[in-house]
Amino acid sequence: MENKAVINVCITGAAGNIAYALYSILCTGQIFGANQKMNLKLLDIESQTKGLQGVALELEDCAYALVNSIEYGFDPEALFKDMDVGIFLGGQSRRPGMERVDLLQVNNRIFKIQGKALNKVAKPSTKILVIANPVNTNCLTLIQNCPNIPKENFTCLTRLDHNRAIAQLAIKAKVPVTEVKNVILWGNHSLTMYPDHNHANIEGQPAVDIYEEEWIKNTFIPKVQKRGGEVLNLRQNSSVMSAAIAIRDHLVNWIYGTPEGQFVSMGVYTDGSFYDIPADFVFSVPVKCKDFKYEVVKDLTISQFSRQKINISLRELQDEKEEANCYDDEVEDESEE
Ligand SMILES: NC(=O)c1ccc[n+]([C@@H]2O[C@H](COP(=O)([O-])OP(=O)(O)OC[C@H]3O[C@@H](n4cnc5c(N)ncnc54)[C@H](O)[C@@H]3O)[C@@H](O)[C@H]2O)c1
């Protein structure tokens, strides 16, 4: 992070559930550091006025030493101005029984408007983490509508799935989670995601020597893929606490770096230079990070099984992109009226 006395952190969906779980993590310095003061800029929609006011009151009541100011409202342009970091949680959430693809239309509109607002007022150095679903395509929509900010400044959250994969491997091998390293979460944050243990190690041993193929294929992969739905059905609400922790983990690695020899998973913009993934998608891949920059780990050998799984997720993202582009046209048509 650039050394600044105060940074501007904008949170969209600021009256929502994950934001609520994130505030105490953020405002106690667990992301930007124990001494980093913040101006909080909280964006939501007008129908959430009371919710936003309530959040602002509670934030005041916490008397956080690191919170320099709190501003809230509904105008993206006003709140994106001078922002250093944006945490994009705002959008329509998935409800029980709702498919992710159902969310495409409404969220595409939101992200197109916000991308244009970012493009108009945000600094080119702004860093953006997108969480709102369908997250890969929302992130792509922001990038496409905001040419003034470099594409590498945008990432999307697949760290929750990555963390879920680590946890399941650790439980199965009966080791602490800290002993599971270099898991990869490929692709879309959806049922087609591919948690990959092929390059992971467990207490320094190759993971492929530890787990039976049958368990990996029939238990591990589907369990990680369906974990969000499992939580949703039980809680009647999507993952909140674990998502807030994943946001912390993602940003901490992006800002402060990944340990030597280790990588993590992030959704990043594709330029066609890695793993035969075509350009102009946001795809989750292994990355190494340093100083709020990421570098894709490009030299891993991909098995035939992994290739098939990656391709399935890619095809889904191609479909999502096509659908999003249809909706783009509709938004354009309306705005021209
Ligand atoms: N990527 C991941 O791993 C992951 C994990 C969990 C949840 N999610 C997604 O994160 C998002 C937030 O989850 P949540 O549980 O906080 O949902 P939530 O429904 O509690 O909160 C979403 C908030 O966004 C607001 N909002 C809607 N449209 C907006 C707009 N145009 N501008 C600003 N704010 C707007 C809503 O009013 C609401 O307050 C959801 O899309 C959810 O599906 C992603």
Coordinates of all heavy atoms in Angstrom, one line a residue, residues 5-88:
A5 N -1.6 8.8 5.2 CA -2.1 9.0 6.5 C -3.6 8.5 6.6 O -3.9 7.8 7.6 CB -2.1 10.5 6.9
V6 N -4.4 8.7 5.6 CA -5.7 8.3 5.6 C -6.1 7.7 4.2 O -5.7 8.4 3.2 CB -6.7 9.4 5.9 CG1 -8.1 8.9 6.1 CG2 -6.3 10.2 7.1
I7 N -6.7 6.6 4.1 CA -7.1 6.1 2.8 C -8.6 6.1 2.7 O -9.3 6.0 3.7 CB -6.6 4.6 2.5 CG1 -7.0 3.6 3.6 CG2 -5.1 4.6 2.3 CD1 -6.7 2.2 3.2
N8 N -9.1 6.2 1.5 CA -10.6 6.2 1.2 C -11.0 4.8 0.8 O -10.5 4.3 -0.2 CB -10.9 7.2 0.1 CG -10.6 8.6 0.5 OD1 -10.8 9.0 1.7 ND2 -10.1 9.4 -0.4
V9 N -11.8 4.2 1.6 CA -12.3 2.8 1.4 C -13.8 2.9 1.1 O -14.6 3.3 1.9 CB -12.0 1.9 2.6 CG1 -12.5 0.5 2.2 CG2 -10.5 1.9 2.9
C10 N -14.2 2.5 -0.1 CA -15.6 2.5 -0.5 C -16.2 1.1 -0.4 O -15.6 0.1 -0.9 CB -15.8 3.1 -1.9 SG -17.5 3.1 -2.4
I11 N -17.3 0.9 0.2 CA -18.0 -0.4 0.3 C -19.3 -0.2 -0.3 O -20.1 0.7 0.1 CB -18.1 -0.8 1.8 CG1 -16.7 -1.0 2.4 CG2 -18.9 -2.1 1.9 CD1 -16.6 -1.4 3.8
T12 N -19.6 -1.0 -1.3 CA -21.0 -1.0 -1.9 C -21.8 -2.2 -1.3 O -21.2 -3.1 -0.8 CB -20.9 -1.1 -3.4 OG1 -20.7 -2.5 -3.8 CG2 -19.9 -0.3 -4.1
G13 N -23.1 -2.0 -1.3 CA -23.9 -3.0 -0.5 C -23.6 -2.9 0.9 O -23.6 -3.8 1.7
A14 N -23.4 -1.6 1.3 CA -22.9 -1.3 2.7 C -23.9 -1.6 3.8 O -23.5 -1.7 5.0 CB -22.5 0.2 2.7
A15 N -25.2 -1.7 3.4 CA -26.2 -2.0 4.4 C -26.5 -3.5 4.5 O -27.3 -4.0 5.2 CB -27.5 -1.3 4.1
G16 N -25.8 -4.3 3.7 CA -26.0 -5.7 3.6 C -25.3 -6.5 4.7 O -24.6 -6.0 5.5
N17 N -25.5 -7.8 4.5 CA -25.1 -8.8 5.6 C -23.5 -8.9 5.6 O -23.0 -8.9 6.7 CB -25.7 -10.1 5.3 CG -27.1 -10.1 5.7 OD1 -27.5 -9.7 6.7 ND2 -28.0 -10.6 4.7
I18 N -22.9 -9.1 4.4 CA -21.5 -9.3 4.5 C -20.8 -8.0 5.0 O -19.8 -8.1 5.8 CB -20.9 -9.7 3.1 CG1 -21.5 -11.1 2.7 CG2 -19.4 -9.9 3.1 CD1 -21.1 -11.6 1.4
A19 N -21.2 -6.9 4.5 CA -20.7 -5.6 4.9 C -20.7 -5.5 6.5 O -19.7 -5.2 7.1 CB -21.4 -4.4 4.3
Y20 N -21.8 -5.9 7.0 CA -22.0 -5.9 8.5 C -21.0 -6.7 9.2 O -20.4 -6.4 10.2 CB -23.4 -6.3 8.8 CG -23.8 -5.9 10.2 CD1 -24.2 -4.6 10.5 CD2 -23.8 -6.8 11.3 CE1 -24.6 -4.2 11.8 CE2 -24.2 -6.5 12.6 CZ -24.6 -5.2 12.8 OH -24.9 -4.8 14.1
A21 N -20.7 -7.9 8.6 CA -19.7 -8.8 9.2 C -18.3 -8.3 9.0 O -17.4 -8.6 9.7 CB -19.9 -10.2 8.6
L22 N -18.1 -7.5 7.9 CA -16.8 -7.1 7.5 C -16.3 -5.8 8.3 O -15.1 -5.7 8.6 CB -16.8 -6.7 6.0 CG -15.5 -6.3 5.4 CD1 -14.5 -7.5 5.3 CD2 -15.7 -5.8 4.0
Y23 N -17.2 -5.0 8.8 CA -16.8 -3.7 9.4 C -15.9 -3.9 10.6 O -14.9 -3.2 10.7 CB -18.1 -2.9 9.9 CG -18.9 -2.4 8.7 CD1 -20.2 -2.6 8.6 CD2 -18.3 -1.6 7.7 CE1 -21.0 -2.2 7.5 CE2 -19.0 -1.1 6.6 CZ -20.3 -1.4 6.6 OH -21.1 -1.0 5.5
S24 N -16.2 -4.9 11.5 CA -15.3 -5.0 12.6 C -13.9 -5.5 12.2 O -12.9 -5.2 12.8 CB -15.9 -5.9 13.7 OG -16.2 -7.2 13.1
I25 N -13.9 -6.3 11.2 CA -12.6 -6.8 10.7 C -11.8 -5.7 10.1 O -10.6 -5.4 10.4 CB -12.8 -7.9 9.6 CG1 -13.5 -9.1 10.2 CG2 -11.5 -8.3 8.9 CD1 -14.0 -10.2 9.2
L26 N -12.5 -4.9 9.2 CA -11.8 -3.8 8.5 C -11.4 -2.7 9.5 O -10.3 -2.2 9.5 CB -12.9 -3.2 7.5 CG -12.5 -2.0 6.7 CD1 -11.4 -2.3 5.7 CD2 -13.7 -1.4 6.0
C27 N -12.3 -2.3 10.4 CA -12.1 -1.2 11.3 C -11.1 -1.4 12.4 O -10.8 -0.5 13.2 CB -13.4 -0.6 11.7 SG -14.4 -0.1 10.4
T28 N -10.8 -2.7 12.7 CA -9.8 -3.0 13.7 C -8.4 -3.2 13.0 O -7.5 -3.8 13.7 CB -10.2 -4.2 14.5 OG1 -10.5 -5.3 13.6 CG2 -11.4 -3.9 15.4
G29 N -8.3 -2.9 11.8 CA -7.0 -2.9 11.1 C -6.5 -4.2 10.6 O -5.3 -4.4 10.3
Q30 N -7.4 -5.2 10.5 CA -7.0 -6.5 10.1 C -6.8 -6.6 8.6 O -6.3 -7.7 8.1 CB -8.1 -7.6 10.5 CG -8.2 -7.7 12.0 CD -9.3 -8.7 12.3 OE1 -9.3 -9.8 11.9 NE2 -10.2 -8.3 13.2
I31 N -7.1 -5.6 7.9 CA -6.9 -5.6 6.4 C -5.8 -4.6 6.0 O -4.8 -5.0 5.4 CB -8.2 -5.3 5.6 CG1 -9.2 -6.5 5.9 CG2 -7.9 -5.2 4.1 CD1 -10.5 -6.3 5.2
F32 N -5.9 -3.4 6.4 CA -5.0 -2.3 5.9 C -3.9 -2.0 7.0 O -3.1 -1.2 6.7 CB -5.8 -1.1 5.5 CG -6.7 -1.3 4.3 CD1 -8.1 -1.3 4.5 CD2 -6.2 -1.6 3.1 CE1 -8.9 -1.6 3.4 CE2 -7.0 -1.9 2.0 CZ -8.4 -1.9 2.2
G33 N -4.0 -2.7 8.1 CA -2.9 -2.5 9.1 C -3.4 -1.8 10.3 O -4.4 -1.0 10.2
A34 N -2.7 -2.0 11.4 CA -3.1 -1.5 12.7 C -3.1 0.0 12.9 O -3.7 0.5 13.8 CB -2.3 -2.2 13.8
N35 N -2.4 0.7 11.9 CA -2.2 2.1 12.1 C -2.9 2.9 10.9 O -2.7 4.1 10.9 CB -0.7 2.5 12.2 CG -0.1 1.9 13.4 OD1 -0.6 1.9 14.5 ND2 1.0 1.2 13.2
Q36 N -3.5 2.2 10.0 CA -4.0 2.8 8.8 C -5.4 3.4 9.0 O -6.3 2.7 9.2 CB -4.0 1.8 7.6 CG -4.5 2.4 6.3 CD -3.6 3.6 5.8 OE1 -2.5 3.4 5.5 NE2 -4.2 4.8 5.8
K37 N -5.5 4.7 9.0 CA -6.8 5.4 9.2 C -7.5 5.3 7.9 O -6.9 5.3 6.8 CB -6.6 6.8 9.6 CG -6.0 6.9 11.0 CD -6.3 8.2 11.7 CE -5.8 8.1 13.1 NZ -6.2 9.0 14.0
M38 N -8.9 5.4 8.0 CA -9.7 5.2 6.8 C -10.9 6.2 6.8 O -11.5 6.4 7.9 CB -10.3 3.8 6.8 CG -9.4 2.7 6.5 SD -10.1 1.1 6.9 CE -9.8 1.0 8.7
N39 N -11.2 6.7 5.7 CA -12.4 7.4 5.4 C -13.4 6.4 4.8 O -13.0 5.8 3.8 CB -12.3 8.6 4.5 CG -11.4 9.7 5.0 OD1 -11.5 10.0 6.2 ND2 -10.6 10.2 4.2
L40 N -14.5 6.1 5.5 CA -15.4 5.0 5.0 C -16.4 5.7 4.1 O -17.1 6.7 4.5 CB -16.1 4.3 6.1 CG -15.2 3.5 7.0 CD1 -16.0 2.8 8.1 CD2 -14.3 2.5 6.2
K41 N -16.6 5.2 2.9 CA -17.6 5.7 2.0 C -18.6 4.5 1.7 O -18.2 3.6 1.0 CB -16.9 6.2 0.7 CG -16.1 7.4 1.0 CD -15.1 7.7 -0.2 CE -14.4 9.0 0.1 NZ -15.1 10.2 -0.3
L42 N -19.8 4.7 2.2 CA -20.7 3.5 2.2 C -21.8 3.8 1.2 O -22.6 4.7 1.3 CB -21.3 3.3 3.6 CG -20.3 3.3 4.7 CD1 -21.0 3.1 6.1 CD2 -19.2 2.2 4.5
L43 N -21.9 2.9 0.2 CA -22.9 3.0 -0.9 C -23.9 1.9 -0.8 O -23.6 0.7 -0.6 CB -22.2 2.9 -2.3 CG -23.1 3.0 -3.5 CD1 -23.6 4.4 -3.7 CD2 -22.4 2.5 -4.7
D44 N -25.2 2.3 -0.9 CA -26.3 1.3 -1.0 C -27.4 1.9 -1.8 O -27.1 2.9 -2.5 CB -26.7 0.8 0.4 CG -27.2 -0.7 0.3 OD1 -28.3 -0.9 -0.3 OD2 -26.6 -1.6 0.9
I45 N -28.6 1.4 -1.8 CA -29.7 1.9 -2.6 C -30.6 2.7 -1.6 O -30.6 2.5 -0.4 CB -30.4 0.8 -3.4 CG1 -30.7 -0.3 -2.5 CG2 -29.6 0.4 -4.6 CD1 -31.5 -1.4 -3.2
E46 N -31.4 3.5 -2.3 CA -32.3 4.4 -1.5 C -33.2 3.7 -0.5 O -33.4 4.2 0.6 CB -33.0 5.4 -2.4 CG -33.4 6.7 -1.7 CD -33.7 7.8 -2.7 OE1 -33.4 7.6 -3.9 OE2 -34.1 8.8 -2.2
S47 N -33.7 2.6 -0.9 CA -34.6 1.8 0.0 C -33.9 1.3 1.2 O -34.6 0.9 2.2 CB -35.3 0.7 -0.8 OG -34.3 -0.2 -1.2
Q48 N -32.6 1.4 1.2 CA -31.9 1.0 2.4 C -31.4 2.1 3.3 O -30.5 2.0 4.1 CB -30.6 0.2 1.9 CG -30.9 -1.2 1.3 CD -31.3 -2.2 2.4 OE1 -31.4 -1.9 3.6 NE2 -31.3 -3.4 2.0
T49 N -32.1 3.3 3.1 CA -31.6 4.5 3.8 C -31.5 4.2 5.4 O -30.5 4.5 6.0 CB -32.6 5.7 3.6 OG1 -32.7 5.9 2.2 CG2 -32.2 6.9 4.3
K50 N -32.6 3.7 5.9 CA -32.5 3.4 7.4 C -31.5 2.5 7.8 O -30.8 2.6 8.8 CB -33.9 2.9 7.8 CG -34.9 4.1 7.8 CD -36.2 3.6 8.5 CE -37.2 4.8 8.6 NZ -38.5 4.4 9.0
G51 N -31.3 1.4 6.9 CA -30.3 0.4 7.2 C -28.9 1.1 7.2 O -28.1 0.8 8.1
L52 N -28.6 2.0 6.2 CA -27.4 2.6 6.1 C -27.2 3.6 7.3 O -26.1 3.6 7.9 CB -27.3 3.5 4.9 CG -26.7 2.9 3.6 CD1 -26.6 4.0 2.5 CD2 -25.3 2.4 3.9
Q53 N -28.2 4.3 7.7 CA -28.1 5.2 8.8 C -27.8 4.4 10.1 O -26.9 4.8 10.9 CB -29.5 6.0 9.0 CG -29.7 7.1 8.0 CD -31.1 7.7 8.1 OE1 -32.0 7.1 8.6 NE2 -31.2 8.9 7.6
G54 N -28.4 3.3 10.2 CA -28.2 2.4 11.4 C -26.8 2.0 11.5 O -26.1 2.0 12.5
V55 N -26.3 1.5 10.3 CA -24.9 1.1 10.3 C -23.9 2.2 10.6 O -23.0 2.0 11.4 CB -24.5 0.5 8.8 CG1 -23.0 0.4 8.6 CG2 -25.2 -0.8 8.6
A56 N -24.2 3.4 10.1 CA -23.3 4.6 10.4 C -23.3 4.9 11.9 O -22.3 5.2 12.5 CB -23.8 5.8 9.6
L57 N -24.5 4.8 12.5 CA -24.6 5.0 13.9 C -23.8 4.0 14.7 O -23.0 4.4 15.6 CB -26.1 5.0 14.4 CG -27.0 6.0 14.0 CD1 -28.3 5.9 14.8 CD2 -26.5 7.4 14.1
E58 N -23.9 2.8 14.3 CA -23.2 1.7 15.0 C -21.7 1.9 14.8 O -20.9 1.7 15.8 CB -23.6 0.3 14.5 CG -24.8 -0.2 15.2 CD -24.8 -1.7 15.2 OE1 -24.0 -2.3 16.0 OE2 -25.6 -2.3 14.5
L59 N -21.3 2.3 13.6 CA -19.8 2.5 13.4 C -19.3 3.6 14.3 O -18.2 3.5 14.8 CB -19.6 2.8 11.9 CG -19.6 1.6 11.0 CD1 -19.7 2.0 9.5 CD2 -18.4 0.7 11.2
E60 N -20.1 4.7 14.4 CA -19.7 5.7 15.4 C -19.6 5.2 16.8 O -18.7 5.5 17.5 CB -20.8 6.8 15.4 CG -20.7 7.8 14.2 CD -21.8 8.9 14.3 OE1 -22.5 9.0 15.3 OE2 -22.0 9.5 13.2
D61 N -20.6 4.4 17.2 CA -20.7 3.9 18.5 C -19.5 2.9 18.8 O -19.1 2.7 20.0 CB -22.0 3.1 18.8 CG -23.2 4.0 18.7 OD1 -23.0 5.3 18.7 OD2 -24.3 3.5 18.6
C62 N -18.9 2.4 17.8 CA -17.7 1.5 18.0 C -16.5 2.3 18.4 O -15.5 1.8 18.9 CB -17.4 0.7 16.8 SG -18.6 -0.6 16.5
A63 N -16.6 3.6 18.1 CA -15.4 4.5 18.4 C -14.1 4.0 17.9 O -13.1 3.9 18.6 CB -15.4 4.9 19.9
Y64 N -14.1 3.5 16.6 CA -12.9 2.9 16.1 C -11.8 4.0 15.9 O -12.1 5.0 15.2 CB -13.2 2.3 14.7 CG -14.0 1.0 14.7 CD1 -15.2 0.9 14.1 CD2 -13.5 -0.1 15.3 CE1 -15.9 -0.3 14.1 CE2 -14.2 -1.3 15.3 CZ -15.4 -1.4 14.7 OH -16.1 -2.6 14.7
A65 N -10.7 3.7 16.4 CA -9.6 4.7 16.3 C -9.2 4.9 14.9 O -8.7 5.9 14.5 CB -8.4 4.2 17.1
L66 N -9.4 3.9 14.0 CA -8.9 3.9 12.6 C -9.9 4.6 11.7 O -9.6 4.8 10.5 CB -8.6 2.5 12.1 CG -7.4 1.8 12.9 CD1 -7.2 0.4 12.3 CD2 -6.1 2.6 12.8
V67 N -11.1 4.8 12.2 CA -12.1 5.4 11.3 C -12.1 6.9 11.4 O -12.4 7.5 12.4 CB -13.5 4.9 11.6 CG1 -14.6 5.6 10.7 CG2 -13.6 3.4 11.3
N68 N -11.7 7.6 10.3 CA -11.5 9.0 10.3 C -12.8 9.7 10.0 O -13.1 10.8 10.6 CB -10.4 9.4 9.3 CG -10.0 10.8 9.3 OD1 -9.5 11.2 10.3 ND2 -10.2 11.5 8.2
S69 N -13.6 9.1 9.1 CA -14.9 9.7 8.7 C -15.8 8.7 8.1 O -15.3 7.6 7.6 CB -14.7 10.9 7.7 OG -14.3 10.4 6.5
I70 N -17.1 8.9 8.2 CA -18.1 8.0 7.6 C -19.0 8.8 6.7 O -19.6 9.8 7.2 CB -18.9 7.3 8.7 CG1 -18.0 6.6 9.7 CG2 -19.9 6.4 8.1 CD1 -18.7 6.2 11.0
E71 N -19.1 8.4 5.5 CA -20.0 9.1 4.5 C -20.8 8.0 3.9 O -20.3 6.9 3.7 CB -19.1 9.7 3.5 CG -19.8 10.7 2.5 CD -18.8 11.2 1.4 OE1 -17.6 11.1 1.6 OE2 -19.3 11.6 0.4
Y72 N -22.1 8.3 3.7 CA -22.9 7.3 3.1 C -23.9 7.9 2.1 O -24.2 9.1 2.2 CB -23.6 6.4 4.1 CG -24.6 7.1 5.1 CD1 -25.9 7.3 4.7 CD2 -24.1 7.5 6.3 CE1 -26.8 8.0 5.6 CE2 -25.0 8.1 7.2 CZ -26.3 8.4 6.8 OH -27.1 9.0 7.7
G73 N -24.4 7.1 1.2 CA -25.4 7.6 0.3 C -25.7 6.6 -0.8 O -25.3 5.4 -0.7
F74 N -26.3 7.1 -1.9 CA -26.8 6.3 -3.0 C -26.2 6.7 -4.3 O -26.5 6.1 -5.4 CB -28.3 6.4 -3.1 CG -28.9 6.6 -1.8 CD1 -29.5 7.8 -1.4 CD2 -28.9 5.5 -0.8 CE1 -30.1 7.9 -0.1 CE2 -29.4 5.7 0.4 CZ -30.0 6.9 0.8
D75 N -25.3 7.6 -4.4 CA -24.8 8.1 -5.6 C -23.4 7.6 -5.8 O -22.4 8.0 -5.2 CB -24.8 9.7 -5.6 CG -24.2 10.3 -6.8 OD1 -23.8 9.5 -7.8 OD2 -24.0 11.5 -6.9
P76 N -23.2 6.6 -6.8 CA -21.9 6.0 -7.0 C -20.8 7.1 -7.3 O -19.7 7.0 -6.7 CB -22.1 5.1 -8.2 CG -23.5 4.8 -8.3 CD -24.2 6.0 -7.7
E77 N -21.1 8.1 -8.1 CA -20.1 9.0 -8.5 C -19.6 9.8 -7.3 O -18.4 10.0 -7.1 CB -20.6 10.0 -9.5 CG -20.7 9.4 -10.9 CD -21.1 10.4 -12.0 OE1 -20.8 11.6 -11.8 OE2 -21.6 9.9 -13.0
A78 N -20.5 10.2 -6.4 CA -20.1 10.9 -5.2 C -19.2 10.1 -4.3 O -18.2 10.6 -3.8 CB -21.3 11.4 -4.4
L79 N -19.5 8.8 -4.2 CA -18.7 8.0 -3.2 C -17.5 7.3 -3.8 O -16.6 7.0 -3.1 CB -19.7 6.9 -2.6 CG -20.7 7.5 -1.7 CD1 -21.9 6.6 -1.5 CD2 -20.2 7.9 -0.4
F80 N -17.4 7.2 -5.2 CA -16.3 6.6 -5.8 C -15.1 7.6 -6.0 O -14.0 7.2 -6.2 CB -16.6 6.1 -7.2 CG -17.5 4.9 -7.2 CD1 -18.1 4.4 -8.4 CD2 -17.8 4.2 -6.0 CE1 -18.9 3.3 -8.4 CE2 -18.6 3.0 -6.0 CZ -19.2 2.6 -7.2
K81 N -15.4 8.9 -5.8 CA -14.4 9.9 -6.1 C -13.3 9.8 -5.0 O -13.6 9.6 -3.8 CB -15.1 11.3 -6.0 CG -14.2 12.4 -6.5 CD -15.1 13.6 -6.8 CE -14.3 14.9 -7.0 NZ -12.9 14.8 -7.3
D82 N -12.1 9.8 -5.5 CA -10.9 9.7 -4.6 C -10.7 8.4 -3.9 O -10.0 8.3 -2.9 CB -10.8 10.9 -3.6 CG -10.7 12.2 -4.3 OD1 -10.1 12.3 -5.4 OD2 -11.3 13.2 -3.8
M83 N -11.5 7.4 -4.3 CA -11.4 6.2 -3.5 C -10.1 5.5 -3.8 O -9.6 5.5 -4.9 CB -12.6 5.3 -4.0 CG -12.3 3.8 -4.2 SD -13.8 2.9 -4.4 CE -14.2 3.1 -6.0
D84 N -9.5 4.9 -2.8 CA -8.3 4.1 -2.9 C -8.6 2.6 -3.1 O -7.9 2.0 -4.0 CB -7.4 4.3 -1.7 CG -6.9 5.7 -1.6 OD1 -6.1 6.1 -2.4 OD2 -7.3 6.4 -0.6
V85 N -9.5 2.1 -2.4 CA -9.9 0.7 -2.5 C -11.4 0.6 -2.5 O -12.1 1.3 -1.6 CB -9.3 -0.1 -1.3 CG1 -9.7 -1.6 -1.4 CG2 -7.8 0.0 -1.2
G86 N -11.9 -0.2 -3.4 CA -13.4 -0.5 -3.4 C -13.7 -1.9 -3.1 O -13.1 -2.8 -3.7
I87 N -14.6 -2.1 -2.2 CA -15.1 -3.5 -1.9 C -16.5 -3.6 -2.4 O -17.4 -3.0 -1.8 CB -14.9 -3.8 -0.4 CG1 -13.4 -3.6 0.0 CG2 -15.4 -5.2 0.0 CD1 -13.1 -3.7 1.5
F88 N -16.7 -4.3 -3.5 CA -18.0 -4.3 -4.2 C -18.9 -5.4 -3.7 O -18.8 -6.5 -4.3 CB -17.8 -4.2 -5.7 CG -17.5 -2.8 -6.2 CD1 -16.4 -2.2 -5.7 CD2 -18.3 -2.2 -7.1 CE1 -16.1 -0.9 -6.2 CE2 -18.0 -0.9 -7.6 CZ -16.9 -0.3 -7.1

